[in-house]
Amino acid sequence: MPFDFPPPVSPDVAPFETIEGNLSSGLLIVCDHASNRVPAEYGDLGLPKEQFERHIGYDIGVRGLTFELARRLGLPAVMTTYSRLLIDPNRGEDDPTLVMRLSDGAVVPGNAEVDEAERTRRMERFHKPYHAEIDRLLDRMIASGNTPAILSIHSYTPVWRGVPRPWHAGVLWDSDPRFPLPLLSALRADPELVVGDNEPYDGCLKNDCMYRHGTARGIAHALIEVRQDLIADGAGVRAWADRLGPILEELNDKPELHRLEEHPSRADG
C-alpha cells in the first residue's frame, strides 16, 4: 500500500509544515530533520543529489512516521521543510555545528564561505520560525488545559564508520525521566527489539530542540531514534507506527507527563 501523505511543503514557501491535531491530546510530535530540500536560491549547496539522499541531508523515514502516528492518534505535529545541510534546527543558535561545512566526509561547498551575516540570515528565515511554531503550539496546548508532552522523531544509519549498530531504536534523554524511561521499558518489552538507552547518541545537548522546548520549559519529553533501514519504505513506517501507536496511547494516560516540572539539564552541570 503506497503512502498517501500530502507532498512535502517547499522551503521556498514555508520553513515548517504542521499537521493539524487535537490540541488537548496531551502530546505534540516534532520532527527536526523531515526534509532534504533546499530553497531555490541556495541551489544544491554545491553537492550532488546523492549526498542529499544520505543521512547528512535528512533523517530517512521520519516524515512518513510522523504523519502516520499523527494521523492515527489525532496528534498535532511540526516538521521542518529544509535540509539540515542548510541549517540544523536541532542545534542551538550558538552551536558551531549549526551550519556544517563538513558532514560525514562530505565537504559542503555552499557552506564554505558562510559568515556571521549569512548564518544570521538562515537563522531568521528557517531556524527561528520552526522553533517559534513549536512554542506557539505548546502554548495553545497548555491553554487547552492539558499540558502536553513532546515526542521528537529521528532516524540513524545502520552502520557508522564501518561498525554495524546493533540497536533497532534508541531513546534519547537528558535528565527528565518521566517520558523516556517508560517509553524505553515499553519498547524493550518486545523480545524482537534491541533498544538503546541514550544510544546511538546521548540526549544531553545544550540548547538543542528538546532542551529548548522540553527541559527549559519543564515539559516532559523524549526523543526516539529509529534505525533508518527499518522505516525507509511504507511497510517499515506502518510497522513502526503499529508498534509505537499503542505505546504512546498508554503512556499518554500517565498524569506525570502532563505536569510542568523542573529537571535541570546535565549540560548545565
Side-chain angles (χ1 to χ4, degrees), residues 24-240:
S24 62
S25 63
L27 186 59
L28 174 68
I29 302 178
V30 301
C31 191
D32 302 325
H33 300 144
S35 175
N36 61 358
R37 302 180 76 180
V38 177
E41 68 185 271
Y42 290 96
D44 55 14
L45 295 175
L47 289 171
K49 180 181 178 181
E50 56 266 25
Q51 293 290 4
F52 287 95
E53 301 301 323
R54 298 175 57 211
H55 186 68
I56 65 171
Y58 72 129
D59 280 2
I60 293 167
V62 294
R63 184 175 185 268
L65 184 56
T66 298
F67 258 108
E68 190 69 17
L69 285 171
R71 183 167 63 181
R72 291 188 187 193
L73 303 180
L75 303 175
V78 189
M79 301 176 288
T80 54
T81 62
Y82 54 88
S83 173
R84 68 201 300 177
L85 291 173
L86 179 73
I87 188 168
D88 194 333
N90 196 34
R91 295 293 183 271
E93 295 178 8
D94 59 349
D95 193 302
T97 65
L98 185 69
V99 177
M100 294 289 285
R101 292 175 169 82
L102 176 67
S103 184
D104 192 18
V107 175
V108 187
N111 292 343
E113 303 300 325
V114 169
D115 57 14
E116 192 59 35
E118 174 58 21
R119 179 184 170 102
T120 298
R121 182 169 180 263
R122 294 188 193 185
M123 274 197 297
E124 294 295 331
R125 292 185 57 200
F126 303 102
H127 190 279
K128 288 185 177 181
Y130 170 66
H131 289 287
E133 178 66 5
I134 294 174
D135 277 328
R136 186 186 74 85
L137 278 173
L138 288 172
D139 290 342
R140 291 181 65 198
M141 295 178 80
I142 291 170
S144 77
N146 189 17
T147 298
I150 308 170
L151 178 69
S152 180
I153 297 181
H154 289 251
S155 70
Y156 62 94
T157 58
V159 176
W160 179 248
R161 296 181 178 175
V163 179
R165 287 164 156 170
W167 314 281
H168 299 94
V171 177
L172 277 54
W173 60 294
D174 184 356
S175 61
D176 184 345
R178 291 175 291 166
F179 194 177
L181 290 189
L183 176 58
L184 185 64
S185 178
L187 288 169
R188 284 179 167 175
D190 185 337
E192 296 183 357
L193 295 182
V194 178
V195 184
D197 180 354
N198 272 329
E199 297 285 1
Y201 312 107
D202 192 323
C204 174
L205 181 61
K206 184 71 175 282
N207 293 325
D208 70 354
C209 188
M210 289 297 91
Y211 181 103
R212 177 171 181 164
H213 300 290
T215 302
R217 297 188 59 161
I219 294 174
H221 56 283
L223 189 156
I224 185 166
E225 293 263 7
V226 182
R227 209 174 69 204
Q228 67 185 34
D229 58 308
L230 302 178
I231 53 171
D233 58 22
V237 165
R238 285 186 290 274
W240 272 86

